[in-house]
Structures are given as C-alpha cells and as structure tokens.
Amino acid sequence: MSDDDASAMRRALALAVEAAAASEIPVGAVVLDPEGRVIAEGRNTREATHDPTGHAEIEAMRGAAAAVGSWNLEGHTLVVTLEPCIMCAGAILQARISRVVFGAWDDKAGAAGSLYDLLRDRRLPYRAEVIGGVEAEESTALLRAFFAQRR
C-alpha cells in the first residue's frame, strides 16, 4: 500500500462519516488517477436519491469517468471503506479499474474475496488487483456504530 492509498483511505473514511450523518450506510470511496491524485469521490446516497445504485463506489466511478472523459479507468485505483458488493464489483470490472483498496471485509455481501471474488476471477476477461483490510478496524467501527443506532 502506498502513501497515496493511505491518504485516500483517510478521505474515504471522512466521506463515510458524512454518509452516516446523512442517515446513509457509512461507506466512502475515492478514485485515484495513475499518478495517485484523487480525481473523484463518492459516498452512499441510496436513501437521499432513492437510487439502488447509489453506492459510494458507483458515485466515485461516475465522477472519475466524467473527470477523464471516458468510461475506461484503466490504471486508476478505487479506494473504498467497505469491500465492494457484486453490483459494484461488476461496475469496477466494466470500468477497467486496475486496483481496488478496501477497508472492512463484508462476509455477507463482499465480492472481492469474502463471499465472492469477482474482481480476481480468472474466467472473466478483466481482473483487478485487490488489497483488502486497510484501516479495517476504523471502517468496521463506523459500520457497527451506525447499525447499533438503528437497532
């Protein structure tokens, strides 16, 4: 993991806190360009937008595609506080994201090594490098606190 990844994860965690404050599941994401600069960010927005695709990863990738003027994000890195789900993993592969760095593992819906491993599935035409468990304790703590308040 690079210093750029660590800095991006800190920003993603701040976005997750913003999501929780907006009554969204606390997940944040940023996209780094090939030089390691943040070019887009996102947080969960499903409740506010009533959009089932309003996941942090999707929001960040939409912003990144707009920033570079292309759907093809090869060479870019997605940094997210929670292991991507199946929908997000599919979008990551479609966008040709080269690296995914994530925080908390998701044993119930993770598609980057926990329940599924779509991002590294050799049967698919494109794969991404995956680095999981970065700042996992902080990411997990945000999620636990959020759901504890709702119970």
Side-chain angles (χ1 to χ4, degrees), residues 55 57-58 61 82-94 106 108-119 124:
H55 288 202
E57 300 96 321
I58 302 293
M61 286 187 292
L82 179 63
E83 180 181 1
C85 69
I86 293 170
M87 175 186 69
C88 292
I92 289 164
L93 294 175
Q94 289 297 315
D106 187 350
K108 294 181 181 176
S114 286
L115 190 58
Y116 303 101
D117 198 358
L118 290 178
L119 295 178
L124 299 175

Side-chain angles (χ1 to χ4, degrees), residues 63-89:
V68 301
S70 174
W71 61 268
N72 189 329
L73 299 174
E74 191 166 352
H76 292 71
T77 298
L78 175 71
V79 179
V80 60
T81 59
L82 179 63
E83 180 181 1
C85 69
I86 293 170
M87 175 186 69
C88 292

Side-chain angles (χ1 to χ4, degrees), residues 9 80 83 100-105 112 120 129-136:
M9 183 59 79
V80 60
E83 180 181 1
V100 176
V101 177
F102 70 85
W105 294 91
R120 294 178 287 203
E129 176 186 354
V130 176
I131 302 168
V134 176
E135 299 291 344

Side-chain angles (χ1 to χ4, degrees), residues 4 7 9 20 26 34 39 41 97 108 113 115 120 122 131 146:
D4 293 334
S7 176
M9 183 59 79
I39 61 165
E41 56 186 39
I97 294 279
K108 294 181 181 176
L115 190 58
R120 294 178 287 203
R122 296 249 177 245
I131 302 168
F146 177 82

Side-chain angles (χ1 to χ4, degrees), residues 20-57:
S23 298
E24 300 279 356
I25 295 173
V27 179
V30 299
V31 176
L32 304 177
D33 71 9
E35 288 75 41
R37 296 180 299 244
V38 174
I39 61 165
E41 56 186 39
R43 63 175 181 79
N44 276 4
T45 61
R46 283 192 325 178
E47 299 301 325
T49 62
H50 310 291
D51 178 356
T53 69
H55 288 202
E57 300 96 321

